[in-house]
Amino acid sequence: MKSAILKITLMVGMVLFGMSSMLMAQTEEYTLDGMTFGMPEAEVYTEDYTGSPVVGEYVTQLPNLAPLDYEGNKHHEVRIDIIVQEIEVAEGVRYQAWTFGGTVPGPVLHVKEGDRITFVMKNRSDEEVTITEPNKGGSPFMNQVAENPYQKNSSAIMPMPHSMDFHAGTVAKDDKWRTIGPGETIKFDWVANYAGSYIYHCGTPSVLMHTAMGQHGMVVVSPKDGYPTDYEVDREYVVVQSEYYLTKGAGDLYTYDYEAASNNNPSHVVFNGHQTVLHDQPLKANAGERVRLHFSNNGPSGTSSFHVIGAIFDRVWLEGHPFNEMRGMQTVLLGASNSATIDFIVPEEGKYILVDHEFVDAEKGATGTLKAGPRKK
Amino acid sequence: MMRSLRNISALAALMIFVMTAFIPEIVFSQTARVLVPAGSFHSILPEVEGEPIVVDSFYMDETAVTNEEFLDFLKANPEWRRSEIPPIFTNNGYLKEWKSDMEPGYEKLGENRPVTRVSWYAANAYCADRDGRLPTLNEWEYSAQLLEFNTEAEMNKFSSGLINWYSGIDVNNLAEVGSTGIETTTGVKDQFGLVMEWVEDFKPIIADELSLDCGTVGRMNTLGSVYSYAASIRYITRMSFNAKITTGMVGFRCAYDEPAPSSQNQNGVSL
Ligand SMILES: [Cu+2]
């Protein structure tokens, strides 16, 4: 009787779920215009992995960018697991974020045009993962967060299906960007064919909800021949703008506010995931220096009119592509998922305010400080 | 949607009146079974033809299966205990929070809280053991929308609250079954607000044809209501599971074609 139940259960399961379709994958690699296409089929599997949620030498915490210390191209092995973290996004405002790697936005991946990335991601949304303790085998990101957990992370659980969509990758989304359930791992390759700064985000519907809950980050793909001003750059930072749609929940925590999200009415618009972090921890430079910002508007829904008070953008490469050069811009208008690589000269000692010049956003938090010391050269 | 809700609830109210007038009193020893009368509802799956979907009458557990009830099942069915269950039926998170095979650890999990971290296979076996089955997706969804609202604004408020709830189910602090105050017009409790629940065909054949992307929610929102938006999140989440998944936010309840046999209505007796 009992084993009959076992058998029937298994059979029903096989019939219902065993036949789920196998995707036909493009596995033939080819080159076109010097770029590489046709990645092998993604693998989805379960693994007992309990190690560091973020692995990879060139993965850092905002606003840092890992230096590319290698010649030519490199094959990167990168892991960014999906974990749930209770985080602070403004004074007194905490919520259970859905994250890549434990922070919002997720870690910054830095690669070079033409690099190949083998990416692994486990959906650990059903597992408590601590990211604020020093760990072995992790990326620089892990140590930076342990030293400076500005979102005051604590582990949490909220099992949900998720996926990864790297805008820097050129692949079939129904294979590589596949949704995986809690406990599952996905592994796939992609090649950074185009230079620039690209967002990554969860593509599982509701995309609005998943992105607003915190699942987005940035990949910086440095051009293989660089930007014309590379030799003059003194400081390089990454800044990401994004929105939160939060409302006070039943307890102390805030929760997702569906109404606000569907009405484009964010509760907070922030730089680097926290309303005051870029004031509490200003970017640093000195008078006379050339500062480069890789700036991305990760949305999910808003636009950004990015400006630095007291500076003019000497060079702007829209989307970070070296061919898209503009000069002398006061403001860069970026739609959701647009980015720019921006150089400006810091004129004198003092404070420079980074701001979304759409002032409704600025007043919801989209501001930050660059603090300039006296001229050194 | 509102109109059909009202009609159905009026019908349901009538049925309940008839039931309570003519059917002998139901003794709540085990989880009570509630009759869900036949009716129809609109599926949010855009590819489903022949709307609305007609659902025959069936019985369903009033509340989700609790830790205590699941422990009872394990007493009689050792092959479903944590250390015994064959790996083809679960991932390694099965009853992970339990102290041991036969010890849920009620101080942490609560005897009357819904059992979670059970695979679809285990949920299925439990219901089979109770001479029942998991409700079908359509049965569960049909029952779930038998809620009564006075105004459309009230329904929208409830539904946006539901979406917010899907973003942050507090799996470490689940409430007891029957405690959410959310009850359908036929008396089924907590289909929302407690945990998500397994259904028999959680990944319908059509799921493979649905391309999950940023447009999916919009394509599913055929009723243009907040309720159908919330439902799309539920459908999509459920479809992305596989039958071996065990998570802290998924429990289940059983459905039946027959009312509870009278012997099951006696206190202290269980099959
Ligand atoms: Cu997601």
Side-chain angles (χ1 to χ4, degrees):
Chain A
M1 169 63 193
K2 298 302 173 198
S3 64
I5 291 181
L6 276 173
K7 270 184 204 136
I8 290 165
T9 307
L10 181 61
M11 275 164 52
V12 173
M14 295 287 208
V15 169
L16 283 174
F17 316 114
M19 300 185 305
S20 52
S21 70
M22 290 284 117
L23 289 156
M24 298 301 287
Q26 167 74 54
T27 54
E28 194 87 340
E29 196 172 303
Y30 65 97
T31 41
L32 211 65
D33 279 358
M35 296 183 282
T36 309
F37 300 99
M39 297 289 110
E41 188 178 358
E43 292 170 55
V44 176
Y45 52 95
T46 55
E47 55 172 355
D48 286 334
Y49 187 82
T50 54
S52 178
V54 182
V55 179
E57 261 179 276
Y58 302 92
V59 189
T60 52
Q61 180 196 27
L62 290 162
N64 305 293
L65 188 68
L68 295 186
D69 51 5
Y70 53 91
E71 296 291 322
N73 280 119
K74 194 178 169 75
H75 187 156
H76 300 262
E77 308 232 328
V78 175
R79 169 188 287 271
I80 303 179
D81 288 339
I82 288 162
I83 58 179
V84 177
Q85 295 277 299
E86 189 189 304
I87 60 163
E88 179 188 288
V89 303
E91 178 78 39
V93 180
R94 296 179 69 81
Y95 85 108
Q96 280 194 6
W98 303 351
T99 79
F100 290 110
T103 58
V104 181
V108 182
L109 170 61
H110 191 189
V111 299
K112 194 185 294 173
E113 181 185 353
D115 283 356
R116 189 183 186 106
I117 297 95
T118 296
F119 178 71
V120 177
M121 174 176 85
K122 182 175 182 183
N123 182 342
R124 296 163 78 177
S125 58
D126 201 19
E127 192 187 316
E128 296 208 13
V129 181
T130 303
I131 67 154
T132 48
E133 280 159 19
N135 77 25
K136 290 181 235 98
S139 64
F141 168 83
M142 296 302 299
N143 294 325
Q144 288 160 347
V145 172
E147 276 168 32
N148 180 21
Y150 67 80
Q151 291 181 322
K152 304 187 177 108
N153 311 56
S154 64
S155 63
I157 293 176
M158 176 56 208
M160 266 301 208
H162 297 293
S163 58
M164 171 59 97
D165 171 346
F166 282 111
H167 281 206
T170 42
V171 296
K173 74 107 196 162
D174 51 348
D175 180 36
K176 281 30 168 212
W177 307 163
R178 251 188 278 180
T179 292
I180 55 169
E184 290 183 321
T185 298
I186 190 166
K187 183 178 185 179
F188 57 82
D189 279 17
W190 58 280
V191 171
N193 279 321
Y194 290 85
S197 301
Y198 295 90
I199 90 162
Y200 62 79
H201 66 93
C202 179
T204 302
S206 152
V207 276
L208 172 59
M209 181 175 181
H210 283 250
T211 317
M213 283 297 287
Q215 287 188 289
H216 56 85
M218 191 171 171
V219 178
V220 176
V221 183
S222 287
K224 57 180 189 293
D225 299 320
Y227 300 97
T229 57
D230 278 357
Y231 66 98
E232 300 170 66
V233 171
D234 300 290
R235 316 267 174 172
E236 201 165 0
Y237 297 111
V238 187
V239 177
V240 173
Q241 176 170 334
S242 65
E243 306 117 43
Y244 292 111
Y245 301 86
L246 297 171
T247 183
K248 192 87 201 313
D252 293 336
L253 292 182
Y254 281 66
T255 67
Y256 180 65
D257 185 343
Y258 161 76
E259 301 226 351
S262 37
N263 292 321
N264 272 353
N265 185 21
S267 56
H268 305 80
V269 184
V270 298
F271 290 152
N272 292 358
H274 190 285
Q275 199 176 42
T276 57
V277 67
L278 282 191
H279 298 297
D280 304 338
Q281 303 178 18
L283 305 179
K284 294 209 170 86
N286 291 316
E289 287 183 344
R290 178 179 285 266
V291 172
R292 175 171 295 167
L293 297 180
H294 301 273
F295 185 90
S296 179
N297 175 28
N298 285 10
S301 302
T303 55
S304 174
S305 297
F306 184 66
H307 170 72
V308 174
I309 300 174
I312 290 173
F313 299 148
D314 184 66
R315 316 265 177 132
V316 174
W317 296 279
L318 292 174
E319 303 286 18
H321 195 285
F323 286 12
N324 303 341
E325 184 175 304
M326 316 274 267
R327 299 206 184 188
M329 293 185 85
Q330 56 189 313
T331 297
V332 183
L333 173 60
L334 301 169
S337 93
N338 276 143
S339 71
T341 293
I342 295 164
D343 277 10
F344 62 93
I345 291 157
V346 177
E348 44 192 69
E349 186 177 357
K351 271 169 91 174
Y352 298 83
I353 304 297
L354 286 61
V355 63
D356 179 352
H357 220 280
E358 295 164 40
F359 283 148
V360 61
D361 292 342
E363 293 185 353
K364 288 178 178 180
T367 64
T369 302
L370 181 136
K371 196 160 177 274
R375 182 159 164 79
K376 292 257 168 73
K377 296 183 188 177
Chain B
M1 173 90 194
M2 284 301 294
R3 182 183 297 254
S4 69
L5 264 182
R6 277 218 198 88
N7 288 346
I8 289 163
S9 35
L11 177 69
L14 183 70
M15 294 287 291
I16 287 172
F17 173 73
V18 171
M19 278 174 65
T20 44
F22 298 104
I23 293 177
E25 190 184 341
I26 297 167
V27 183
F28 292 10
S29 59
Q30 285 197 311
T31 308
R33 291 180 192 181
V34 173
L35 172 69
V36 183
S40 65
F41 79 113
H42 290 272
S43 169
I44 58 151
L45 289 171
E47 288 84 350
V48 173
E49 290 182 17
E51 291 264 56
I53 290 176
V54 175
V55 178
D56 281 343
S57 71
F58 64 101
Y59 294 83
M60 191 152 74
D61 286 337
E62 180 184 45
T63 50
V65 174
T66 64
N67 285 310
E68 191 180 33
E69 288 166 331
F70 202 75
L71 180 65
D72 277 346
F73 162 72
L74 295 181
K75 281 177 192 157
N77 299 275
E79 69 276 23
W80 290 99
R81 294 175 190 171
R82 190 169 67 192
S83 61
E84 300 293 323
I85 183 171
I88 43 166
F89 291 137
T90 184
N91 65 16
N92 54 18
Y94 184 66
L95 299 175
K96 187 169 81 179
E97 304 289 309
W98 282 31
K99 268 192 182 158
S100 68
D101 261 12
M102 300 302 285
E103 225 185 329
Y106 288 141
E107 56 289 351
K108 194 176 157 206
L109 296 178
E111 53 200 299
N112 289 319
R113 295 190 204 158
V115 66
T116 59
R117 299 186 186 280
V118 287
S119 64
W120 176 89
Y121 291 109
N124 225 287
Y126 176 99
C127 291
D129 189 59
R130 293 286 186 273
D131 294 321
R133 53 183 174 77
L134 286 173
T136 65
L137 187 150
N138 283 340
E139 285 171 343
W140 195 98
E141 289 291 336
Y142 161 65
S143 168
Q145 49 87 61
L146 293 176
L147 293 167
E148 202 161 34
F149 298 102
N150 293 319
T151 61
E152 190 159 354
E154 201 181 281
M155 183 170 87
N156 289 346
K157 188 161 178 256
F158 174 85
S159 301
S160 45
L162 192 55
I163 297 166
N164 300 357
W165 176 69
Y166 285 130
S167 80
I169 300 173
D170 190 356
V171 297
N172 285 329
N173 298 291
L174 296 178
E176 296 198 344
V177 300
S179 69
T180 63
I182 298 170
E183 185 172 338
T184 67
T185 52
T186 65
V188 177
K189 294 177 176 169
D190 316 322
Q191 283 192 268
F192 303 127
L194 197 60
V195 284
M196 292 185 77
E197 297 178 12
W198 284 117
V199 296
E200 191 174 78
D201 48 344
F202 63 90
K203 200 190 288 252
I205 303 296
I206 205 167
D208 281 339
E209 282 152 44
L210 267 183
S211 154
L212 283 187
D213 58 43
C214 46
T216 310
V217 168
R219 287 196 300 276
M220 285 187 172
N221 200 3
T222 46
L223 303 175
S225 70
V226 190
Y227 184 86
S228 74
Y229 190 106
S232 69
I233 289 171
R234 179 168 66 249
Y235 274 72
I236 290 161
T237 302
R238 221 168 20 203
M239 274 191 265
S240 68
F241 293 156
N242 69 59
K244 289 167 75 172
I245 270 183
T246 60
T247 94
M249 69 160 186
V250 178
F252 69 101
R253 72 181 77 212
C254 308
Y256 315 85
D257 300 320
E258 306 287 335
S262 53
S263 64
Q264 250 186 306
N265 290 337
Q266 306 302 312
N267 261 334
V269 178
S270 74
L271 288 178

